[in-house]
Structure formats: C-alpha cells, structure tokens
Amino acid sequence: VEEGSAASRAGIRPTYRSRNGGVVLGDVIVAINNEKIENGSEITLALEKYKPGDVVNVRVLREGKTANLEVRLDQPR
C-alpha cells in the first residue's frame, strides 16, 4: 500500500515493521466486488475489468475479522 494511493486513501492497511523490528501484518485482500481473491495475480486480473474513477468494494481480512472498503481506482502508475 503506497502512501497517497487509492488503497491508502480507502484505509487499506499495509504490512510494516514495528519499532522492535517485528513484522506487523496489514490487510489481506480476499475479494473485489464479491470476486474471491486467492493470490496477488488475481488482484490484477480482477481490477483489469475496471477503469480509473470506478469504485470497487474491497473485502479485507484485518486482525481476524473482515472489513469492506470502497476504493476509487486511480490511473496506473
């Protein structure tokens, strides 16, 4: 999740290192507009169906619970 990106603005949390160097897992995307996502390649395939400015519902796994976030898609970088 890049700072300033559509994902960041929507509240998707990145994985990061804590102050003591441990890894803190961020959100795991499990669905886009109810299309199940099982790996990183499937994220790209799911998003290819949409254009910049479209809003998609992204379901994430966060701390053992699911959360639904709306993401307005940006232009590819």
Side-chain angles (χ1 to χ4, degrees), residues 13-37:
R13 297 178 184 173
T15 296
Y16 65 93
R17 290 217 177 257
S18 67
R19 290 182 183 154
N20 65 0
V23 175
V24 178
L25 293 179
D27 292 340
V28 176
I29 296 173
V30 295
I32 296 175
N33 280 353
N34 294 318
E35 182 178 337
K36 188 175 180 181
I37 302 296

Side-chain angles (χ1 to χ4, degrees), residues 8-71:
S8 176
R9 290 192 306 276
I12 296 177
R13 297 178 184 173
T15 296
Y16 65 93
R17 290 217 177 257
S18 67
R19 290 182 183 154
N20 65 0
V23 175
V24 178
L25 293 179
D27 292 340
V28 176
I29 296 173
V30 295
I32 296 175
N33 280 353
N34 294 318
E35 182 178 337
K36 188 175 180 181
I37 302 296
E38 295 185 357
N39 60 55
S41 298
E42 290 181 356
I43 293 171
T44 303
L45 290 173
L47 291 175
E48 285 180 344
K49 299 172 187 168
Y50 306 98
K51 62 186 183 305
D54 286 349
V55 176
V56 296
N57 181 278
V58 178
R59 187 175 322 123
V60 298
L61 182 60
R62 176 183 291 171
E63 299 173 0
K65 299 178 184 175
T66 58
N68 290 299
L69 304 168
E70 285 191 348
V71 179

